Amino acid sequence: MSAKRLGQMAQATKTAFLFPGQGSQKTGMLADLAEQFAGVQQTFSEASQALGHDLWHIAQSGEGLDQTQNTQPVLLTASIALWRVWLELGGIAPKYLVGHSLGEYSALVAAEAMTLTDAVKLVNLRGKLMQSAVPQGEGAMAAILGLSDEQVVALCRQVSGQAGAHAAAAVEAANYNAQGQVVIAGSAALVQQVMTLAKEQSGKAIALPVSVPSHCSLMKPAAEKFAEALEQTAIELPVIPVIQNVNAAIATDVTQLRQALTAQLYQPVQWTRSMQYLQDQGIRYVVECGPGNVLANLAKRLPDIEKAFPVDTQSRLEDALNVIMVAEGKIA
C-alpha cells in the first residue's frame, strides 16, 4: 500500500493502534500467525538481514531474548509483522498511532516515517547504549500502584534530595502509565527506598525484572550518543499521525521528531496524557499491535474507549478485524 493511500484511509476512523515496548516479549511470539501468513517470517528476514543475525530464531527459542539489544529489534519486528498482516487482511488504517517507549519506533515504521531496516539498526544501538550507560545491577525500575502521580513524584524528589544532587544518585518517574500506576527508575538503592515509602503510604510497589533504568536522567549519556545516530538516519514526517511519548503531541517537523526520540531516553513516557489525547480526538477503538495485551488492558479502563483488542494470535486478530470493520461501517 502506498504511503499516500495509507494516510488517506486513516482520516475518518475512530481507531488507533498502540505499539508495546520492552517487557511484552515472550518466547514463541507470533508462531501460529507465521504458519498462516508468509509475511510474518518475511518481515523477520528483512530485519535479520539488516542486523546480520536471526531475529526469528531469538524470538522462537528465547536465546538472548532478554538482552536489551536483542529484545528491542525483535519486538519492533514482531509489531511490524502484525501491522503488515492487518493491512494484508484489509484491516482499517487507524487515525492515530502511538507506541510505548520502544513502541514509538514501531509506530514510526508503520507510519512510513522510517524504514524497518533503519529502525531495527537504531533500536539495536539504542539497546546497547542503554545497557552500557549504567553498570549491571546499579539501576532499577519499579511500578508504584495506588498513589497519585503527585505523590510518586514527591517521594522521588524526597529520596533523591536526601541522596544528593548528582545524577548517579537519582530516582524519577519514568512511565505515567495510568491513573494510579507510575513506574519509577534510577539508582537501585534509591528505587528501593521509594518502594518502601510508597508502601508506608498504603501504595503497592513491584520491582520490575529489567536491567536498564529507562526514561530517567541516568540515560542522558546514552541519549547524547544516540542523537548522533538519529541525525544519520533518514526520517520523514509520518503519513499517519504519531503521538510522541515525551509530550503526548504530534511533531510538525522532522527536527521535532528527532529531538523527541532523543529526549525519550531520559524523560518519562507520558502514556496517560497520550491516551487522553486519543479520547479527546474521538478515538473509541484501540488495537495493540504487538505481543501481549498490556496496553489493551490499560485502555479498557478508560471511559471513552469502547473496545480494546490485542492481535497477537490468529483468533484475536480475526476478532479485532470483524468487530472494528463493523463498528467503522466498512462491513454490515
Side-chain angles (χ1 to χ4, degrees):
M1 183 181 299
S2 72
K4 182 178 179 181
R5 177 62 178 150
L6 190 61
Q8 288 173 339
M9 284 176 60
Q11 295 308 306
T13 75
K14 296 180 180 179
T15 301
F17 265 51
L18 317 178
F19 296 87
Q22 200 161 331
S24 292
Q25 70 274 8
K26 55 184 177 182
T27 300
M29 64 184 91
L30 309 194
D32 71 325
L33 286 167
E35 295 177 0
Q36 299 296 321
F37 303 101
V40 172
Q41 289 207 31
Q42 289 170 2
T43 301
F44 270 87
S45 294
E46 182 183 336
S48 297
Q49 288 173 13
L51 293 184
H53 56 267
D54 190 344
L55 295 179
W56 182 250
H57 174 75
I58 293 172
Q60 298 309 302
S61 69
E63 296 173 13
L65 184 58
D66 60 346
Q67 297 173 18
T68 302
Q69 67 266 30
N70 293 330
T71 312
Q72 297 199 15
V74 166
L75 270 175
L76 183 150
T77 304
S79 291
I80 296 306
L82 285 169
W83 169 253
R84 291 176 174 178
V85 170
W86 175 270
L87 294 179
E88 177 188 339
L89 293 175
I92 196 165
K95 189 173 184 178
Y96 295 102
L97 307 173
V98 56
H100 191 287
S101 187
L102 164 71
E104 189 165 321
Y105 292 85
S106 305
L108 290 168
V109 174
E112 310 285 352
M114 64 177 72
T115 66
L116 176 61
T117 295
D118 284 342
V120 292
K121 291 178 180 177
L122 274 178
V123 301
N124 176 248
L125 174 63
R126 181 177 181 266
K128 290 177 179 177
L129 291 173
M130 291 170 69
Q131 191 70 67
S132 63
V134 179
Q136 187 81 19
E138 291 189 13
M141 299 183 77
I144 307 298
L145 310 177
L147 300 184
S148 69
D149 294 355
E150 293 76 16
Q151 285 176 297
V152 175
V153 170
L155 290 178
C156 289
R157 287 177 177 165
Q158 175 186 333
V159 170
S160 295
Q162 292 169 349
H166 54 96
V171 58
E172 302 157 18
N175 302 338
Y176 295 99
N177 284 335
Q179 295 296 326
Q181 185 182 132
V182 179
V183 172
I184 60 172
S187 164
L190 302 192
V191 167
Q192 185 60 52
Q193 289 181 43
V194 172
M195 292 174 67
T196 299
L197 291 173
K199 291 175 183 176
E200 291 175 359
Q201 293 190 12
S202 300
K204 294 182 179 180
I206 303 169
L208 301 182
V210 297
S211 57
V212 174
S214 305
H215 309 297
C216 72
S217 56
L218 297 181
M219 288 294 114
K220 279 192 175 180
E224 292 169 3
K225 296 176 182 177
F226 188 63
E228 299 174 10
L230 277 172
E231 285 298 324
Q232 304 293 321
T233 302
I235 300 177
E236 300 179 6
L237 278 179
V239 298
I240 299 174
V242 174
I243 302 165
Q244 296 203 271
N245 282 188
V246 296
N247 52 15
I250 296 165
T252 57
D253 60 52
V254 172
T255 298
Q256 286 182 1
L257 199 155
R258 283 195 172 97
Q259 289 172 343
L261 289 175
T262 301
Q264 190 222 59
L265 278 171
Y266 61 88
Q267 291 184 12
V269 173
Q270 299 289 349
W271 194 253
T272 306
R273 285 173 52 196
S274 297
M275 295 306 294
Q276 186 58 53
Y277 182 96
L278 292 180
Q279 292 181 97
D280 291 346
Q281 300 303 311
I283 295 300
R284 298 296 176 260
Y285 316 104
V286 297
V287 173
E288 180 170 1
C289 192
N293 58 0
V294 172
L295 300 181
N297 284 342
L298 284 175
K300 288 176 182 178
R301 297 164 54 178
L302 300 171
D304 295 335
I305 300 301
E306 297 178 18
K307 294 284 185 179
F309 299 95
V311 292
D312 58 339
T313 66
Q314 187 167 357
S315 60
R316 285 175 163 181
L317 178 63
E318 290 173 352
D319 185 35
L321 276 166
N322 292 335
V323 173
I324 288 177
M325 294 300 277
V326 171
E328 295 281 9
K330 302 303 178 183
I331 57 175

